[in-house]
Amino acid sequence: MRRFVAHSARNLITRRRNNLTTCVLQHCTFPLRFLTTASPGYLSGHVASAGSASAPPLTLDTINPKVLKCEYAVLGETFILAQRLQQELKENPGSHPFDELLYCNIGSPHSLGQQPITFFREVLALCDHPAMLDRAETRGYFSADAVKRAFQILNHFPGRATGAYSHTQGIKGLRDTIASGIEARDGYPADPNDIFLTDGASPAVHIIMQLLIRSEKDGILCPIPQYPLYSGSITLHGGSLVPYYLDEDTGWGLEISELKNQLETAKSKGITVRALVVINPGNPTGQVLAETNQQEIVEFCKNEGLVLLADEVYQENVYVPDKQFHSFKKVSQSMEYGEEDISLVSLQSVSKGYYGECGKRGGYMEVTGFSPEIREQIYKVASMDTCSNISGQILASLVMNPPKVDDESYESYSAEKDAILSSLARRAKTLEDVFNSLEGVTCNRAEGAMYLFPRIELPKKATEAAKAVNTAPDAFYARCLLNATGIVVVPGCGFGQVPGQWHFRCTILPQEDKIPTIVSQLTEFHKAFMDEFRD
Amino acid sequence: MDYENLNENVKKCQYAVRGELYLRASELQKEGKKIIFTNVGNPHALGQKPLTFPRQVIALCQAPFLLDDPNVGLVFPADAIARAKHYLSLTTGGLGAYSDSRGVPGVRKEVAEFIERRDGYPSDPELIFLTDGASKGVMQILNAIIRGERDGILVPVPQYPLYSATISLLGGSLVPYYLEETANWGLDIVNLRESVAQARSQGITVRAMVIINPGNPTGQCLSEANLKEILKFCYQNNLVLLGDEVYQQNIYQDERPFISARKVLMDMGGPISKELQLVSFHTVSKGYWGECGQRGAYFEMTNIPPKTVEEIYKVASISLSPNVPGQIFLGLMVTPPKPGDISYERFVRESKGILESLRRRAQIMTDGFNSCRNVVCNFTEGAMYSFPQIRLPPKAIEAAKKDGKVPDVFYCLKLLEATGISTVPGSGFGQKEGVFHLRTTILPAEEDMPAIMASFKKFNDEFMEQYEDYRGYSRM
């Protein structure tokens, strides 16, 4: 990285042409998702079969077309290119104008150096290997309250068996803990039987989409921009995405009038809209909804008979003093709406917040306002996968019931948590300011979540250059950025945006000591890019 | 959402393993009744202890601060410490970071090496995808294959109902092929051909064939000759072969040791070995590991075209990554302690203990069932289940009808109420018309087995007494 900074200007000028050529080449090259030296004939797409009577049974021609149709840009084209560059760097150091790839495409804090919360890992380790609790010399490695919590948790497991399948919805005692945590958060009770622990929040989304979508005549209202799990799963399950546009000029505001218009438009096209997805705090947009806004949304869903799918995985990531997270469950309960009034699915995950435990795959959906028949069906589909991973279940219960003021670990836990959250807030501001300082770039503040979603006004020359290589302009920009700096972002087209506008999503996750370098690389690259393509 | 406007496919699918019997058993348990859950292959729930070595490794990975302690070598064996460091080095950011959507490359490499050692043929890590349990892998592959209801999947009857439920959920068609109980649950090629012909005559394109080897619920182990026949059949009929091999460590007889479908395919050589499309599944949930709760598994693709592999990768990427601890368990399973390692002896002692006990329990259960009136039970050659045939007298079947219950459900509910033994009725797995079974596991602790079998026998023989004609049992 330092080498690049020192020579960056010269490199950029000499590589300008190379970058463009590289961009062309990369696009024309078949996008390999894996780097294998085996499999001859891979570019031809199917193994030549001299002897068989017909083409093999599973090929691109015969694969489920919904699989072909679905996309997931977070790990899409730009990411794939990044992986190739990484491999090239490994095999041939110095082959690129940067020493390392910086993956700002994905919300995976630990991948970029964030440390886990010590207390959580203590408890998890003790539950993974309970024999440590039985011996003083191993027990001594852990804080007293971690030991106590591990004992409490293990008591929920018949025979202390953390290797067994649990109840499909998750271990009852852990769901009790989570329900208490929800109650402490919201001030309203929660029922452990409403909770379904899942391998991360994503499988819960799939279950709901599976239940709701009968055909492409079933529509799901999704924010634009949205996290492409929604578009991907809607396509996979054969439904239709009904977009509602967030308003960039008002801090990505959600207008009820927009919801109503889109609903009517969909209806007029013969689409039955089944649900409304709201991501709060937003991804990629980061906005935190005002409570009044949330009330309007609840009212809207109630009146229109829509399931409200509330993706609240970033509930612990709020960086601005003028906004606060309120769960949709709390909001609807505060409006005195109950089980008969609104069907609500609330998602939480251990992947985000200040804990960032993506690799654990822990999360849950809290399901309220559904009839017993529906509940049975949700259970049935969930049961086909038997249960979610136990360690993830335990972690979800820890996240929803962390150390309290009088606990031994509270001080160190708090210090870790505050350090991470305040650092995230600082990085969000720093990067927001950087983006806003770039020519033709505006960037709303990240009120929450883990991303910035700057908008770039691309000059005509740039959009034409992109068109010439059959690439969306923002994907073109992202690719050039990657080739020049090793910084990996996701083009806005992967999330949806107002047609003709261009964005990219960049995480705020690189560690603080890397930020100055990123800032200067971004600034220099952008200047060089604009110098090349300015009208 | 109303029941009426729910996705029809969801309404149609059934998954008996956690169905009616299980729910009733859970209710009774809440009321204080002692329940013996033999409905699901869940060894640790019935007292099997986890192997020590992997739990030591994972604890060290979970809490790397332990590795930093200068005295860690006094409380953990050196090889566990080394393996923990090894796996942490394969990740980018430890257990809490998303891995590659296909799984940590280093672990996939270990899986490939395991397959090569097992079969004698190299395996490509790029064609091995790790998943949160084998079920998710099965669903991903079936989702890639099934386009609509005109796509049929050949599934053995009886089968593990993940297959029937998933095919139903995905809107495909299940094409059954019957295993022959009197021939030790053997597979009959003639029957297979008939099933395919019938499906085709109904306008169904048969796309794939599922084999479960060792079988679930039936336990039979396929011979090399069987596998060759199956592979040729799939090749001739242009089918993808889905080889569910999750019980490959659970073998309780010596005549037919486990042989993987891939090995047989590679042994056959020639065009078939380069063209027959195969997906093989394995897991940490079964075997002698029994780590069901970790959700660690993989599928290996053979002769699937690269662009198709890419598409499968793309779908996997939407769920980001499989859980990392589960991946480490998988790595440990395929790369267990070797002779000379500090933990080797203990590891072997623990594993052998489990496997030998399972073998004994398979025998105890089979013999126990065969000693009961109107019960006939094939020997459990492998896997974790016993699947006795219960010859229900006509009066029992009538009583079931009166109760609005399927006959084997009726029997199993009565068994549950009387003895606390929670089983899964055979109807949940599929069986020939008018033939009834139940599935139980061989997992209850060995010392509890005699009492359980005695309890079953008492219930069964009394049940038969109650419902039989005086002339003796007459089969429908």
Side-chain angles (χ1 to χ4, degrees), chain B residues 222-233:
Chain B
L222 294 173
S223 67
E224 190 173 342
N226 280 159
L227 284 164
K228 269 203 186 116
E229 249 185 338
I230 290 164
L231 286 160
K232 280 193 203 137
F233 179 80

Side-chain angles (χ1 to χ4, degrees), chain B residues 439-460:
Chain B
R439 188 189 80 166
T440 174
T441 65
I442 60 170
L443 299 173
E446 215 173 322
E447 58 264 24
D448 296 336
M449 276 283 182
I452 291 173
M453 296 316 291
S455 175
F456 176 86
K457 186 172 164 64
K458 180 168 185 292
F459 160 79
N460 176 77

